[in-house]
Amino acid sequence: QVLLQESGPGLVKPSETLSLTCTVSGGSIINYYWSWVRQSPGKGLEWIAYAYNSGTTSYSPSLKSRVTISLDTSENQCSLKLTSVTAADTGLYFCARTSSRSHFYFDNWGQGTLVTVSS
Amino acid sequence: EIVMTQSPATLSVSPGERATLSCRASQSVSSNLAWYQQKPGQAPRLLISGASTRATGIPARFSGSGSGTEFTLTIISLQSEDFAVYYCQQYNNWPPFTFGQGTKLEIK
């Protein structure tokens, strides 16, 4: 059984950079697509970005200027960096897996990590 | 960006009855639509992909239909564990992949 576990700082100050990690256990991250999806009361579920095999990435146009996603195949992890955070970036951040680029639904999710942006 | 609109926002149904949830896309997404169930404090769980294909382990009382811009999730013989929030998601035109705002299915 493949398990996804997100981790992060919990609290981030405005204008700082948010860094999150998704650790995958029970299977390899190679040959799967790994996304970050966030959930906030105001905007529901919002896809942020995906990474694939350490070389391919895609970003939501609305966040592209502030986001970097990457994979560490040696550690079986997916990481997300979000710069210049504001209160609007507060929410629950999920890591999610997709098996096929042509059928890009999310078949496995982590439990999420809560991020609060506040001074 | 494709906008997904779900209706109603809240649906009240009695256990044992049928629930019908709707999802509309702002432009055609073919059959590239998924449905998820989310319970409080949990991650979303994939129910349906390709508009009508149940994910592994999903009971047959869940069914999806539709194509293009209009989609429906039907749950027959509602069980207590089915009361949750349901989301649709399109994966036809991206980036970005987009979700509906959710329908809360509550006990009547």
Side-chain angles (χ1 to χ4, degrees), chain B residues 14-27:
Chain B
S14 299
E17 296 192 339
R18 172 195 297 253
T20 302
L21 290 68
S22 296
C23 175
R24 173 177 292 179
S26 59
Q27 65 187 78

Side-chain angles (χ1 to χ4, degrees), chain B residues 78-92:
Chain B
L78 277 165
Q79 307 295 305
S80 58
E81 62 266 29
D82 300 335
F83 293 94
V85 180
Y86 292 84
Y87 295 95
C88 59
Q89 176 235 331
Q90 69 82 20
Y91 50 94
N92 192 67

Side-chain angles (χ1 to χ4, degrees), chain A residues 35-39 45-48 92-94 109, chain B residues 99:
Chain A
S35 288
W36 286 93
V37 178
R38 68 183 182 182
Q39 185 170 34
L45 289 165
E46 180 182 20
W47 174 78
I48 301 169
L92 187 57
Y93 284 70
F94 294 102
W109 296 67
Chain B
F99 295 83

Side-chain angles (χ1 to χ4, degrees), chain B residues 64-102:
Chain B
S65 63
S67 66
T69 62
E70 301 284 344
F71 300 88
T72 300
L73 175 68
T74 302
I75 314 168
I76 61 173
S77 301
L78 277 165
Q79 307 295 305
S80 58
E81 62 266 29
D82 300 335
F83 293 94
V85 180
Y86 292 84
Y87 295 95
C88 59
Q89 176 235 331
Q90 69 82 20
Y91 50 94
N92 192 67
N93 283 44
W94 53 271
F97 304 101
T98 50
F99 295 83
Q101 79 281 17

Side-chain angles (χ1 to χ4, degrees), chain B:
Chain B
E1 172 175 327
I2 295 180
V3 177
M4 307 301 291
T5 303
Q6 292 185 241
S7 61
T10 303
L11 181 61
S12 299
V13 183
S14 299
E17 296 192 339
R18 172 195 297 253
T20 302
L21 290 68
S22 296
C23 175
R24 173 177 292 179
S26 59
Q27 65 187 78
S28 177
V29 297
S30 186
S31 294
N32 295 313
L33 183 109
W35 288 95
Y36 302 87
Q37 175 193 68
Q38 187 179 32
K39 298 179 180 179
Q42 296 185 17
R45 172 195 181 197
L46 178 68
L47 297 176
I48 301 281
S49 64
S52 61
T53 302
R54 279 190 305 277
T56 303
I58 302 303
R61 64 179 182 273
F62 290 88
S63 64
S65 63
S67 66
T69 62
E70 301 284 344
F71 300 88
T72 300
L73 175 68
T74 302
I75 314 168
I76 61 173
S77 301
L78 277 165
Q79 307 295 305
S80 58
E81 62 266 29
D82 300 335
F83 293 94
V85 180
Y86 292 84
Y87 295 95
C88 59
Q89 176 235 331
Q90 69 82 20
Y91 50 94
N92 192 67
N93 283 44
W94 53 271
F97 304 101
T98 50
F99 295 83
Q101 79 281 17
T103 290
K104 181 180 181 180
L105 180 58
E106 65 176 25
I107 300 175
K108 186 175 182 179

Side-chain angles (χ1 to χ4, degrees), chain A residues 63-82:
Chain A
L63 294 168
K64 185 174 184 177
S65 63
R66 299 195 292 130
V67 173
T68 303
I69 190 171
S70 61
L71 297 182
D72 185 334
T73 54
S74 65
E75 296 290 335
N76 232 34
Q77 292 178 332
C78 177
S79 296
L80 180 80
K81 291 188 188 301
L82 179 64

